[in-house]
Amino acid sequence: CSEHKDSSEKKHKDKEKTKHKDGSSEKHKDKHKDKDKEKRKEEKVETSSLKVELCFFACFCSPPRIKDEPDDDGFYASPKEDSKPLKRPREDDEILFILQDSKAKKVKSKDKKVPEADKRKKPKKEEEQKWKWWEEERYPEGIKWKFLEHKGPVFAPPYEPLPENVKFYYDGKVMKLSTKAEEVATFFAKMLDHEYTTKEIFRKNFFKDWRKEMTSEEKSTITNLSKCDFTHMSQYFKAQSEARKQMSKEEKQKIKEENERLLKEYGYCVMDNHKERIANFKIEPPGLFRGRGNHPKMGMLKRRIMPEDIIINCSKDSKIPAPPPGHKWKEVRHDNKVTWLVSWTENIQGSIKYIMLNPSSRIKGEKDWQKYETARRLKKFVDKIRNQYREDWKSKEMKVRQRAVALYFIDKLALRAGNEKEEGETADTVGCCSLRVEHIKLHPELDGQEYVVEFDFLGKDSIRYYNKVPVEKRVFKNLQLFMENKQPEDDLFDRLNTSILNKHLQDLMEGLTAKVFRTYNASITLQQQLKELTNPDDNIPAKILSYNRANRAVAILCNHQRAPPKTFEKSMMNLQSKIDAKKEQLADARRELKSAKADAKVRRDEKSKKTVESKKKAVQRIEEQLMKLEVQATDREENKQIALGTSKLNYLDPRISVAWCKKWGIPIEKIYNKTQREKFAWAIDMAEEDYEF
DNA sequence: TGCATGACTTAGTAAGGAGGAT
DNA sequence: ATCCTCCTTACTAAGTCATGCA
């Protein structure tokens, strides 16, 4: 590998041209992308053996696809329009009917069966008839809907000035703030107990943005944040939230009803003749930006979003939502190539925020299903791909070697792709392609193992990834090569980025990207673990423990962490004392049983026999209870710092879990709560016990 | 081709609320 | 009835990846 000598040239872009003038980017300033070298090394990779099947979904349960063209308006017309009345936009009065009547009359089409899960529940109106979108034809690529109508977003309530008696002090003296300045001050006051408010950057950013909201007098008086006393305001808010908790049932009920009304009015839309739940119909209220980890922008003011910031997306022929009186929307558009209903640009990063549908909706579910189908397709290719990257470790080209080692990490360790990030704009976190030399340590030998790589870096959400992994010798040697003549802050894979990697993956399999490996490895791990851990003789709680353990294996693989709950130790102790109490109870019950037996032996009458029987049952019951508690304790202890939810929700093919439940007679409710069941309704409906990922 | 932007998924935290224990 | 705990839900930040434009 003759080119490795210049591998120390950096690929970071010239930071001079980026907008921040502070010194924060000094460190990487000298990095340039070596374009010429890249070009020279453009190479044709022999991938024909891996070339993809064109059929999008290979397996039998693949969603059907149709392939016709959209009409002039960009709307897709179903070839079987007449036989599919459901896909035709409804007339206004019909829509109204749907919006108002949550029991929307059952469509005449194929939805004859009531899903299993629904039978068990008392027939509640919402649950009665679920639309099985997964039994319908899908739209051609790109078209997301044909009809979309909604009521627009719900804005944050306007600011309510503090009562006169709540004071703000500056330098020990009472000071009355202008409404605007006061509002921003309350944001800080509400966070006073939070660690954020002690952080230098947070305080600096907050103060800078706060001053922008002040009147000129305020600005000239308030020059030092440390002299500001928000404690009285903070106490007021605490009292308020306390009072909220103490409210009477009636008052609470009233609030609940109001929320329900809001949800009913704004929480749903009509998309292609079906009423669908919206995920986040409320606009984010103003406040202070809470970036995660060491975020350079934490504490900045997140401004209030007005109707004039809002872009509405809906059908041309729908009832277009009205802006609040006296206001206008920024824009109303009719783009059926996207799934969002409302968008606005946020002022911290300048990125766009969206209002989209709930995970239970067709549009999200279809995509989710498709995601798992892609991962399943990878299963067929993965051996070839693995062989290929092993070969590539020997390549003459630096770029190919780096790509191959990175892919190995992504595959083996389920690392994220690692896009480049704009420096100084976000917390310094990395993924695979953006790993720097400082993030790994090479140990030719460690704890009796050869060729160990020690990873230590901050990943998404500034969650630390720490792992010591034995790797193959060739990988190790390559890493040594990649690190030669580099500074700690240089890129490990200086000839690689996610775009190059994904292009390569695309050549290996249609639709393959870096994240597919995470999905694939997560799901396949769950399946294997379930096979391995489930003991057919176990009772249900023990089987569920096995499930959780399998789930946990995945969460560990994906590095899904959580802060150990603050009350963890305490609740663990509580549980332990419960177990102890149960043990004593069991001992007592056993003693009682013994004496009852003795008694029965002497008396030999019916009554004492019955007593023995009931004592026996009691012992059994208590044993079971004890067992349950012990299982619970184990489960909780093992779960201390691991978050299971993320993998369950985003990485594990739900059909694996559904099949497992069916196979072992576990009620699905034990694995998925209500929300999760709604999200995975498609999987619950279609997976049989013999489902193989 | 490279970069910015847009769209959409994945992520952890904290408030809220249901349900069990006292 | 009240308290406490834990689960659920809401919230929104932070990723990934494709696309379109200079």
Side-chain angles (χ1 to χ4, degrees):
Chain A
C1 188
S2 54
E3 303 114 336
H4 76 263
K5 286 284 189 289
D6 36 50
S7 68
S8 63
E9 296 194 34
K10 330 302 181 319
K11 69 173 174 185
H12 273 242
K13 273 140 270 154
D14 191 345
K15 292 304 175 316
E16 299 296 338
K17 62 181 180 197
T18 64
K19 39 199 174 238
H20 30 277
K21 46 247 136 191
D22 55 15
S24 65
S25 58
E26 288 296 313
K27 196 167 144 195
H28 295 255
K29 235 178 208 166
D30 58 336
K31 299 192 171 185
H32 290 268
K33 187 164 257 164
D34 194 343
K35 289 181 200 159
D36 296 337
K37 294 275 159 57
E38 299 273 354
K39 250 184 226 157
R40 251 199 291 128
K41 260 158 284 149
E42 240 2 89
E43 173 224 28
K44 251 175 78 194
V45 187
E46 181 48 45
T47 55
S48 56
S49 59
L50 292 172
K51 267 286 192 257
V52 227
E53 25 140 35
L54 282 168
C55 128
F56 199 70
F57 293 99
C59 76
F60 70 96
C61 57
S62 308
R65 302 214 128 223
I66 36 180
K67 292 228 188 297
D68 61 344
E69 293 297 314
D71 67 18
D72 294 339
D73 288 4
F75 283 89
Y76 151 75
S78 162
K80 289 183 242 162
E81 191 73 30
D82 289 338
S83 59
K84 291 232 160 244
L86 283 182
K87 298 235 160 173
R88 157 186 71 84
R90 276 178 196 262
E91 305 302 326
D92 267 3
D93 52 345
E94 288 179 279
I95 289 148
L96 243 164
F97 163 77
I98 295 184
L99 274 174
Q100 284 166 355
D101 186 4
S102 53
K103 270 193 218 166
K105 293 291 164 326
K106 183 162 183 164
V107 287
K108 279 153 271 171
S109 67
K110 43 205 160 187
D111 312 1
K112 289 271 153 57
K113 289 185 281 180
V114 177
E116 249 330 285
D118 290 356
K119 269 189 218 160
R120 279 191 293 272
K121 278 175 247 157
K122 51 183 171 172
K124 271 203 142 181
K125 50 179 180 179
E126 293 291 336
E127 247 111 16
E128 256 171 337
Q129 295 116 15
K130 290 279 166 143
W131 170 42
K132 294 192 182 181
W133 51 258
W134 50 93
E135 291 181 349
E136 298 205 9
E137 279 180 9
R138 296 231 256 162
Y139 292 171
E141 202 64 47
I143 309 299
K144 304 297 170 59
W145 45 264
K146 288 196 288 172
F147 180 80
L148 172 61
E149 177 168 277
H150 58 92
K151 300 277 248 164
V154 171
F155 289 91
Y159 177 64
E160 278 181 39
L162 293 172
E164 284 301 323
N165 62 338
V166 181
K167 309 286 191 205
F168 165 75
Y169 300 87
Y170 185 73
D171 208 6
K173 288 186 278 290
V174 178
M175 186 171 168
K176 171 77 188 158
L177 295 171
S178 65
T179 310
K180 273 173 105 184
E182 184 189 275
E183 180 180 7
V184 179
T186 62
F187 298 152
F188 194 86
K190 281 177 183 164
M191 290 177 73
L192 214 52
D193 286 340
H194 204 286
E195 201 199 336
Y196 272 121
T197 57
T198 64
K199 293 188 181 174
E200 186 91 12
I201 310 169
F202 188 94
R203 295 174 68 87
K204 192 183 123 235
N205 287 333
F206 160 72
F207 196 54
K208 193 172 155 209
D209 280 2
W210 188 27
R211 283 176 57 81
K212 288 184 203 155
E213 303 297 313
M214 292 177 186
T215 63
S216 46
E217 299 99 274
E218 284 166 343
K219 224 185 262 183
S220 60
T221 316
I222 304 173
T223 53
N224 183 350
L225 180 58
S226 308
K227 291 183 180 171
C228 296
D229 180 359
F230 301 94
T231 50
H232 192 199
M233 286 162 82
S234 169
Q235 277 162 15
Y236 169 73
F237 290 123
K238 268 185 229 161
Q240 288 264 297
S241 83
E242 206 46 48
R244 225 172 300 133
K245 276 181 210 151
Q246 298 302 319
M247 274 186 309
S248 70
K249 258 201 191 116
E250 294 73 37
E251 288 170 302
K252 279 186 180 165
Q253 187 59 30
K254 227 176 133 187
I255 291 173
K256 205 175 159 189
E257 273 163 21
E258 173 61 18
N259 284 336
E260 274 164 12
R261 194 189 61 77
L262 218 59
L263 175 69
K264 218 176 151 194
E265 179 163 10
Y266 295 95
Y268 295 87
C269 72
V270 177
M271 187 176 271
D272 296 338
N273 301 327
H274 291 277
K275 190 178 160 189
E276 300 254 42
R277 176 93 186 262
I278 299 170
N280 54 326
F281 58 92
K282 289 179 186 159
I283 299 280
E284 296 171 19
L288 303 182
F289 177 71
R290 299 154 91 118
R292 315 237 171 97
N294 201 213
H295 197 116
K297 297 192 171 182
M298 62 166 83
M300 280 174 65
L301 175 62
K302 229 172 75 159
R303 64 168 231 284
R304 181 179 290 273
I305 303 302
M306 302 302 284
E308 285 71 17
D309 299 312
I310 296 288
I311 302 174
I312 298 281
N313 191 32
C314 62
S315 288
K316 260 185 209 157
D317 56 347
S318 74
K319 210 170 141 197
I320 291 162
H327 288 279
K328 282 191 285 212
W329 302 125
K330 179 180 180 185
E331 185 190 334
V332 176
R333 65 170 80 155
H334 312 289
D335 182 356
N336 73 342
K337 309 273 194 302
V338 296
T339 66
W340 52 268
L341 319 185
V342 171
S343 76
W344 71 92
T345 302
E346 151 265 11
N347 69 305
I348 305 288
Q349 315 276 2
S351 63
I352 309 171
K353 300 244 177 172
Y354 303 93
I355 291 184
M356 292 186 190
L357 297 193
N358 200 57
S360 63
S361 63
R362 183 214 98 220
I363 213 155
K364 293 288 182 189
E366 246 172 32
K367 200 78 188 294
D368 206 35
W369 178 13
Q370 192 179 316
K371 173 181 77 184
Y372 291 113
E373 288 308 313
T374 306
R376 286 176 88 195
R377 249 175 336 118
L378 175 57
K379 189 181 176 182
K380 298 191 204 124
F381 288 93
V382 76
D383 290 336
K384 266 186 191 170
I385 291 173
R386 284 172 179 163
N387 287 336
Q388 165 135 26
Y389 67 59
R390 289 203 154 78
E391 278 304 305
D392 287 347
W393 293 339
K394 298 181 273 186
S395 168
K396 278 182 265 168
E397 275 188 53
M398 196 58 160
K399 181 178 157 188
V400 173
R401 283 198 189 199
Q402 293 194 352
R403 197 178 66 194
V405 171
L407 188 50
Y408 170 73
F409 285 163
I410 285 174
D411 183 21
K412 185 184 171 81
L413 305 174
L415 300 190
R416 295 186 185 84
N419 283 312
E420 288 134 291
K421 303 170 78 189
E422 222 178 322
E423 250 170 277
E425 300 289 302
T426 55
D428 176 22
T429 63
V430 298
C432 186
C433 293
S434 50
L435 278 171
R436 300 194 294 261
V437 170
E438 60 194 328
H439 295 131
I440 64 168
K441 256 188 220 154
L442 301 181
H443 305 280
E445 215 203 303
L446 187 73
D447 307 328
Q449 289 175 308
E450 275 190 317
Y451 308 122
V452 176
V453 184
E454 186 179 350
F455 292 84
D456 193 352
F457 62 89
L458 297 182
K460 182 177 178 181
D461 292 310
S462 294
I463 297 291
R464 185 181 181 204
Y465 183 92
Y466 183 79
N467 201 357
K468 289 183 213 161
V469 200
V471 300
E472 294 178 44
K473 182 174 174 185
R474 247 199 196 106
V475 171
F476 196 84
K477 294 288 174 199
N478 270 315
L479 288 171
Q480 285 179 325
L481 191 66
F482 302 160
M483 291 164 79
E484 240 170 54
N485 302 321
K486 283 193 197 171
Q487 300 299 308
E489 67 275 14
D490 291 344
D491 285 312
L492 178 63
F493 302 116
D494 53 298
R495 285 161 199 282
L496 187 68
N497 61 36
T498 52
S499 167
I500 296 171
L501 179 66
N502 279 335
K503 256 180 210 128
H504 172 65
L505 293 175
Q506 191 63 232
D507 289 341
L508 299 180
M509 181 190 112
E510 195 197 10
L512 185 62
T513 62
K515 82 200 257 289
V516 178
F517 281 89
R518 244 166 109 80
T519 312
Y520 164 74
N521 279 310
S523 288
I524 204 81
T525 303
L526 178 77
Q527 191 170 70
Q528 281 163 0
Q529 289 288 305
L530 282 178
K531 239 176 226 161
E532 220 167 275
L533 297 174
T534 312
N535 177 0
D537 305 328
D538 277 348
N539 59 15
I540 290 183
K543 284 208 181 85
I544 291 170
L545 176 66
S546 303
Y547 180 89
N548 286 338
R549 282 192 167 142
N551 190 166
R552 195 172 301 128
V554 175
I556 290 168
L557 175 72
C558 294
N559 200 229
H560 290 141
Q561 297 191 28
R562 61 167 187 177
K566 285 192 184 82
T567 53
F568 184 83
E569 288 307 325
K570 209 175 108 199
S571 83
M572 212 58 210
M573 269 161 58
N574 282 351
L575 193 56
Q576 191 53 52
S577 57
K578 258 190 215 166
I579 290 174
D580 292 343
K582 209 33 102 186
K583 277 183 183 161
E584 255 173 57
Q585 199 187 339
L586 182 62
D588 287 346
R590 284 200 174 126
R591 262 197 301 277
E592 278 180 42
L593 174 62
K594 215 174 168 185
S595 70
K597 268 183 184 165
D599 196 39
K601 230 178 189 172
V602 180
R603 296 218 206 162
R604 292 170 178 273
D605 63 352
E606 271 311 301
K607 200 183 158 197
S608 56
K609 253 191 206 162
K610 260 190 186 162
T611 319
V612 172
E613 277 313 304
S614 75
K615 296 283 177 204
K616 241 185 209 163
K617 283 220 177 92
V619 169
Q620 258 174 20
R621 208 180 50 236
I622 295 166
E623 272 172 348
E624 250 168 52
Q625 287 168 344
L626 177 64
M627 156 91 176
K628 225 172 156 177
L629 282 174
E630 279 173 337
V631 164
Q632 204 186 345
T634 322
D635 208 26
R636 198 183 297 175
E637 182 65 45
E638 290 175 358
N639 239 6
K640 187 175 177 180
Q641 301 197 53
I642 298 162
L644 299 186
T646 306
S647 49
K648 210 178 198 174
L649 231 46
N650 301 301
Y651 288 106
L652 302 175
D653 183 344
R655 288 167 296 183
I656 300 171
S657 303
V658 173
W660 181 84
C661 283
K662 287 193 176 155
K663 181 166 182 189
W664 301 109
I666 314 282
I668 194 78
E669 294 80 9
K670 301 274 181 195
I671 300 298
Y672 291 135
N673 67 30
K674 185 164 158 283
T675 322
Q676 295 166 158
R677 289 198 302 276
E678 279 166 13
K679 171 169 179 176
F680 298 134
W682 58 274
I684 295 172
D685 185 53
M686 68 170 84
E688 299 301 334
E689 69 170 71
D690 59 353
Y691 175 81
E692 271 268 341
F693 174 76

